[in-house]
Amino acid sequence: MVAEWIFANGKSVGEIREDFPILQTKLTLVDHDDPIDLVYLDTAATAQKPLKVIQAEARYYREQNANIHRALHTLGETATALYEGSRDKVQAFINAEHRHEIIFTRNTTESINLVASSFGRSFGPEDEILLTEMEHHSNLVPWQLLSEQTGCKLKFIPISPGGELELEKLDELLTNKTALVGVVHISNIFGTVNDIEQIISKAHSMDIPVLIDGAQSSPHMAIDVQQLDCDFFAFSSHKLYGPMGIGILYGKEKLLEKMPPYMGGGDMIRSVKLTGSTWNDLPWKFEAGTPNVGGVAGFGAAIDYIKELSFDSICEYENMLTEYARKSLSGIKNIKIYGPSGHRAGVFSFTHNDLHPHDMAQFLDRYGIAVRAGHHCAQPAMRKLKVSSMARASLAFYNTRSEIDFLVEKIIAAGEYFNNGI
Ligand code: 7TS
């Protein structure tokens, strides 16, 4: 059935896989004679890149490389047009009202740090920031740093043992002191798709702005920031099939206008005197120094690629694959899968009764299966569940049911191997 799946661009899953050079290469293991196929199940850490993305970045360096916004020569204008053209693509991709609401950063982490440093600069000891217990460290530590600097307090929406937010506590947690709510859209450990619509609507009824960490949602569902009405939305190109080193911060114009610059330097200024400076317009006020133009060009190509596939068909295929993986993994004896059974993304963290997640990941690696093991940069959530480490398999539209069957087979084999060894 999956083999016959056809995406909106007319391609089958097999043909889609051919778009990704790394999925065609073989892995050479240290003590294996023959190279083996890669079974890449770590897309939540970073997605693989289609050839068009690699070519766009390479083409920039081969044919278009120049610094932007400052050159009068043709090459500089070409590079500027490429960079600003990608901004237009991102604007359309998330349906932002204005192109200047799109700021290029290095990654989701930097996007959130930008908001914490700049928007949070005016916070004081009377202010509260409401986060959740399932945040990735990148939506936690910047607020801890801000709390140290300004005295503002951090509060948390608790998580249930099933890896869901206890939203019934939201009404008492939101107070007239809450200055910002920051919440992850899709959890990178549980795969939970959080009800951010409810959170945004409740926060807005009290005039509280909301920041969404969209690192894990933006690759798997269409994002419409105007419909969501979120105030900030942070995500990374590298999780969205684009190059590393590019992040995006969407912010509502009226908030970005009022915020002070995050970093100082070239490009973000209008005029500089020895004693003080004035700032450039949005979005450049927040883009100090020479940016990663080649990466931004590659990200533009990633957006084109996703648009061609269409989120309708990506979601339909990934939902089917997620349900198949959930059912298959649930059938394995001695493993525990974390996160909800429904309304979830293809991120499956699990532990095995008989072996450590790191042993599991290393065992699977012997068969070319790439999964992640560890705390997944969400230590508070792990601590709450009293688990120090989990193995995690995460899916994308280039994965297949036979890869999941292979994963299941090898998880079972790992259990048998370690049991026999004891
Ligand atoms: N937020 C979430 C929910 C994430 O999953 C990640 C990265 C980030 C923020 C940070 O993104 P970055 O691009 O700034 O690094 N998550 C993971 C992961 O789960 N495994 O490796 C990186």
Side-chain angles (χ1 to χ4, degrees):
M1 180 182 169
V2 170
E4 294 155 11
W5 180 270
I6 302 295
F7 285 91
N9 65 353
K11 287 187 176 179
S12 67
V13 183
E15 286 166 323
I16 290 290
R17 288 176 67 81
E18 285 169 19
D19 292 340
F20 291 79
I22 211 164
L23 301 179
Q24 316 309 312
T25 57
K26 299 266 179 189
L27 284 180
T28 308
L29 303 186
V30 182
D31 49 2
H32 268 233
D33 291 339
D34 299 320
I36 56 172
D37 289 332
L38 167 69
V39 177
Y40 189 72
L41 296 173
D42 199 15
T43 291
T46 198
Q48 296 303 348
K49 322 301 175 200
L51 184 61
K52 282 186 176 166
V53 167
I54 300 166
Q55 283 172 333
E57 187 159 1
R59 180 169 180 232
Y60 167 74
Y61 285 111
R62 275 207 315 265
E63 301 170 19
Q64 301 156 322
N65 178 47
N67 213 327
I68 55 164
H69 295 151
R70 56 199 87 192
L72 292 178
H73 52 73
T74 303
L75 209 54
E77 279 171 13
T78 305
T80 302
L82 197 63
Y83 183 81
E84 294 300 336
S86 283
R87 196 187 311 276
D88 293 332
K89 287 182 186 178
V90 178
Q91 179 200 350
F93 187 65
I94 61 169
N95 194 30
E97 191 178 353
H98 307 290
R99 70 186 307 279
H100 56 253
E101 293 175 320
I102 306 299
I103 295 157
F104 288 120
T105 62
R106 282 187 304 147
N107 44 40
T108 304
T109 304
E110 188 176 45
S111 297
I112 297 172
N113 274 276
L114 191 164
V115 178
S117 301
S118 169
F119 187 73
R121 202 172 299 171
S122 58
F123 292 2
E126 68 291 350
D127 290 313
E128 294 175 355
I129 299 169
L130 182 59
L131 306 169
T132 84
E133 285 181 346
M134 67 165 76
E135 296 309 312
H136 186 279
H137 297 166
S138 64
N139 196 26
L140 177 59
V141 183
W143 305 110
Q144 292 173 344
L145 292 173
L146 185 69
S147 168
E148 277 174 24
Q149 285 157 10
T150 67
C152 67
K153 297 194 177 51
L154 307 186
K155 288 166 74 176
F156 301 94
I157 305 174
I159 48 171
S160 69
E164 289 177 288
L165 292 179
E166 295 180 355
L167 286 182
E168 61 282 5
K169 309 238 164 78
L170 192 56
D171 287 333
E172 68 187 71
L173 286 165
L174 286 170
T175 71
N176 56 12
K177 291 182 174 173
T178 315
L180 181 94
V181 177
V183 57
V184 66
H185 196 176
I186 293 186
S187 159
N188 68 318
I189 34 173
F190 303 123
T192 321
V193 184
N194 287 320
D195 185 356
I196 57 166
E197 290 80 358
Q198 188 192 152
I199 297 172
I200 293 168
S201 129
K202 285 207 167 148
H204 281 184
S205 70
M206 298 170 73
D207 278 337
I208 302 164
V210 181
L211 174 144
I212 301 299
D213 172 351
Q216 295 295 348
S217 59
S218 52
H220 302 292
M221 59 167 76
I223 299 295
D224 182 332
V225 288
Q226 290 190 72
Q227 198 185 335
L228 284 173
D229 200 24
C230 54
D231 299 274
F232 299 104
F233 191 93
F235 60 112
S236 294
S237 148
H238 74 94
K239 296 204 197 277
L240 234 166
Y241 312 98
M244 289 193 172
I246 299 299
I248 301 87
L249 174 68
Y250 157 81
K252 277 186 184 161
E253 178 189 47
K254 62 174 190 221
L255 298 177
L256 294 177
E257 285 288 5
K258 284 195 209 134
M259 286 160 53
Y262 166 53
M263 291 197 290
D267 231 22
M268 52 72 72
I269 47 84
R270 181 177 305 287
S271 108
V272 179
K273 292 188 183 146
L274 285 177
T275 47
S277 304
T278 55
W279 315 133
N280 202 343
D281 295 331
L282 289 177
W284 306 292
K285 177 172 91 172
F286 291 109
E287 294 181 2
T290 301
N292 180 352
V293 183
V296 167
F299 187 45
I303 291 177
D304 292 342
Y305 183 86
I306 294 292
K307 268 174 59 187
E308 232 183 88
L309 274 189
S310 104
F311 267 121
D312 280 349
S313 60
I314 290 177
C315 288
E316 211 176 319
Y317 179 73
E318 288 188 350
N319 288 344
M320 182 178 68
L321 203 62
T322 298
E323 185 50 16
Y324 183 75
R326 194 192 62 76
K327 279 199 182 130
S328 311
L329 291 165
S330 319
I332 305 175
K333 273 197 289 179
N334 294 334
I335 75 162
K336 176 173 168 54
I337 299 166
Y338 298 85
S341 48
H343 209 53
R344 59 137 52 244
V347 175
F348 294 96
S349 293
F350 61 95
T351 47
H352 194 290
N353 291 346
D354 300 329
L355 64 152
H356 192 276
H358 289 197
D359 291 329
M360 175 64 80
Q362 274 181 339
F363 184 91
L364 295 176
D365 183 56
R366 307 300 302 145
Y367 300 93
I369 303 173
V371 299
R372 192 180 162 181
H375 53 61
H376 309 299
C377 298
Q379 285 184 10
M382 310 277 285
R383 207 165 283 127
K384 174 100 186 225
L385 266 61
K386 300 191 170 49
V387 183
S388 61
S389 177
M390 297 174 184
R392 182 189 69 186
S394 53
L395 309 175
F397 56 76
Y398 43 60
N399 291 122
T400 64
R401 292 216 292 193
S402 56
E403 286 181 312
I404 292 166
D405 293 342
F406 191 54
L407 170 73
V408 169
E409 181 190 317
K410 295 305 171 198
I411 291 176
I412 294 169
E416 287 165 0
Y417 176 85
F418 278 82
N419 262 332
N420 291 341
I422 292 165

